[in-house]
Amino acid sequence: MKKLGVYICTVLTITILLPTVIVKTFKFVPKGNTAKGESLELEEPVVIEEEIPVKTNKLYETIKIYDGKKEIVNEINIEDYVKGVVAAEMPAEFHMEALKAQAVAARTYAISRSIKYKDGHPNHKLAPLCDGIHCQAYLSLPKLKEIHGDSWIEKYWPKIEEAVNSTRNLGIFYNGEIIEPLYHSTSGGRTEDVQDVFAVEMPYLKSVTSPYEEEAPKFKSTITLTTEEFIGKIKHKYPDVNLTKENLHEKIKLIEKTLTGRVKKVAIDKIIIDGRELRELFSLNSTNFTISLDKRLNIIEIETYGSGHGVGMSQWGANGMAKHGSIFEEILKHYYTGVEIKELTFDN
């Protein structure tokens, strides 16, 4: 009974007293992230639907891609497509093994979506994939030349071709089925469980450590707003909230964090807001953020770790692992739990 009493007291302390302390000091500090450094650019959250098992008994060497700007569908050789994705999604300066890992992930993602949405995706019904960040970014060679110039093509295109050609036809599988390998810029030291971000269960998208991300340019970032700016943004999105400078520290409460320390739910006055909504509202790099109020200076400071949704492979983590000696198979098996890297076969 004594042990039971101690347990109950502990639970009450965590669920009742701890949020009170957080609100009083008005400092949201998700724990469990001790990594330091900077990360890449802000990445838009992807849209992910409930997992539908896909089989690999009918894969094709060409895939259909919806061009959102021209509103047409292009049929592209899968390997040429993967080259354009690697060039668009990952800095070409990265280590060769990181580029190889990106190539395999991009190929696997493309084929997985092509099978799952063979009759067209609900958001672009003419094709299972689009060329934007809703799926995965793709840039053709002429477009890359237009953006980067001839010198970039001469320097980096052979490297991208090598990364793709050397992993030709390789895909990622879990229990014999091709997976949907999500990836992002920078995790902030640990990746996120897909369940906590997209509310679906995928056994290969579990939280894992993500070492060697310190070189990422936005691993840690801070934005500063006046109290009036902070309140104005919230009231513009949620006009019914009772929020003022005087009650700010009482009206905002951290309700729930994920196991990795990211903000999952926040209460503002009488409404509950998802951490992703606040990320979007304040253009934050990720949901791994803390909010601090300095009454004396009349400012709000939001400090963010990582960039992107945090699920699956961290691109900067992959580059760090590669620079420390990991080959692409090791990188992929680290970020995607329990998977195999196998050759894809195509039916005639």
Side-chain angles (χ1 to χ4, degrees), residues 156-177:
Y156 291 116
W157 187 248
K159 184 180 179 182
I160 291 168
E161 285 191 308
E162 181 183 346
V164 175
N165 292 340
S166 64
T167 61
R168 186 179 182 85
N169 284 349
L170 291 182
I172 313 171
F173 295 81
Y174 181 87
N175 282 350
E177 294 180 356

Side-chain angles (χ1 to χ4, degrees), residues 115-140:
I115 296 170
K116 185 183 292 187
Y117 300 110
K118 61 182 180 180
D119 296 323
H121 191 280
N123 288 1
H124 35 78
K125 296 181 180 180
L126 297 178
L129 288 155
C130 67
D131 61 0
I133 56 176
H134 170 263
C135 294
Q136 54 185 3
Y138 163 80
L139 291 170
S140 65

Side-chain angles (χ1 to χ4, degrees), residues 29-278:
V29 185
K31 300 296 182 183
N33 187 338
T34 58
K36 297 179 180 179
E38 306 261 320
S39 93
L40 194 59
E41 69 280 354
L42 174 65
E43 175 185 299
E44 291 291 330
V46 299
V47 177
I48 184 167
E49 298 80 10
E50 184 176 354
E51 176 72 348
I52 303 171
V54 291
K55 303 296 183 182
T56 57
N57 60 349
K58 196 173 184 180
L59 304 177
Y60 300 96
E61 292 181 345
T62 61
I63 53 175
K64 293 180 179 180
I65 309 296
Y66 177 69
D67 184 327
K69 290 185 177 180
K70 296 181 179 179
E71 297 185 342
I72 60 172
V73 174
N74 296 310
E75 191 161 347
I76 308 172
N77 174 274
I78 180 65
E79 299 302 316
D80 291 338
Y81 169 74
V82 172
K83 292 171 188 177
V85 173
V86 173
E89 288 280 3
M90 180 174 274
E93 298 87 351
F94 273 17
H95 192 284
M96 176 59 74
E97 294 302 313
L99 292 170
K100 289 179 182 179
Q102 179 68 67
V104 178
R107 182 184 299 110
T108 304
Y109 183 87
I111 294 176
S112 172
R113 301 286 275 193
S114 294
I115 296 170
K116 185 183 292 187
Y117 300 110
K118 61 182 180 180
D119 296 323
H121 191 280
N123 288 1
H124 35 78
K125 296 181 180 180
L126 297 178
L129 288 155
C130 67
D131 61 0
I133 56 176
H134 170 263
C135 294
Q136 54 185 3
Y138 163 80
L139 291 170
S140 65
L141 183 56
K143 190 66 178 178
L144 286 165
K145 185 178 295 188
E146 178 185 326
I147 294 171
H148 296 296
D150 291 335
S151 60
W152 186 94
I153 296 295
E154 291 176 11
K155 184 175 182 180
Y156 291 116
W157 187 248
K159 184 180 179 182
I160 291 168
E161 285 191 308
E162 181 183 346
V164 175
N165 292 340
S166 64
T167 61
R168 186 179 182 85
N169 284 349
L170 291 182
I172 313 171
F173 295 81
Y174 181 87
N175 282 350
E177 294 180 356
I178 197 165
I179 74 168
E180 189 170 343
L182 302 185
Y183 52 87
H184 58 282
S185 168
T186 315
S187 75
R190 188 172 187 88
T191 67
E192 189 62 280
D193 191 313
V194 69
Q195 180 72 39
D196 286 325
V197 179
F198 299 112
V200 296
E201 177 58 34
M202 295 183 179
Y204 50 84
L205 291 177
K206 296 298 183 181
S207 176
V208 299
T209 59
S210 186
Y212 315 124
E213 292 185 348
E214 291 81 0
E215 294 182 2
K218 294 180 184 175
F219 186 95
K220 178 183 176 183
S221 58
T222 303
I223 65 169
T224 302
L225 305 94
T226 66
T227 305
E228 290 82 3
E229 289 172 333
F230 180 79
I231 293 173
K233 278 182 173 289
I234 292 176
K235 288 184 72 68
H236 181 74
K237 179 75 180 269
Y238 310 102
D240 294 332
V241 298
N242 174 21
L243 196 63
T244 66
K245 287 176 62 176
E246 290 71 28
N247 67 16
L248 187 61
H249 65 289
E250 299 173 350
K251 293 291 185 177
I252 300 183
K253 301 177 183 179
L254 176 59
I255 300 299
E256 185 180 0
K257 299 182 298 182
T258 68
L259 292 177
T260 62
R262 289 169 171 83
V263 176
K264 194 170 184 179
K265 299 288 182 183
V266 174
I268 300 182
D269 193 20
K270 296 179 181 180
I271 65 171
I272 304 298
I273 297 173
D274 191 275
R276 286 186 292 169
E277 293 180 59
L278 280 183

